[in-house]
Amino acid sequence: MMDKTMIRLSEEIERLREQMHKRSEKVGISHPDIMRLSRKLDKLINQYLYYTRCLKVF
């Protein structure tokens, strides 16, 4: 079962992924905007994974 934090992170990851995909279609994948969005997406994914691992411990 997903709690509120997991749901929020999942929704934010999906929103950012879609934003990055749409933007990359316009400017290409090597554009600085895409690199910035990719780093932000990586951070969110890492937060999600860290959070899910912490839940398993407790």
Side-chain angles (χ1 to χ4, degrees):
M1 187 167 107
M2 292 178 67
D3 69 3
K4 290 179 183 179
T5 301
M6 289 175 68
I7 292 169
R8 181 187 59 78
L9 286 169
S10 294
E11 289 172 348
E12 182 66 14
I13 288 168
E14 184 59 24
R15 184 193 66 75
L16 193 58
R17 188 193 65 77
E18 289 177 13
Q19 180 183 355
M20 188 172 77
H21 177 74
K22 287 178 184 177
R23 182 76 175 134
S24 71
E25 289 178 332
K26 294 179 182 178
V27 299
I29 62 171
S30 61
H31 191 276
D33 286 350
I34 304 307
M35 298 298 134
R36 180 183 51 78
L37 290 170
S38 179
R39 284 190 299 275
K40 192 172 180 180
L41 184 58
D42 287 345
K43 287 179 183 179
L44 283 173
I45 292 169
N46 286 333
Q47 286 177 5
Y48 180 88
L49 292 173
Y50 177 78
Y51 186 78
T52 57
R53 287 184 185 132
C54 285
L55 285 180
K56 289 180 184 179
V57 171
F58 296 105

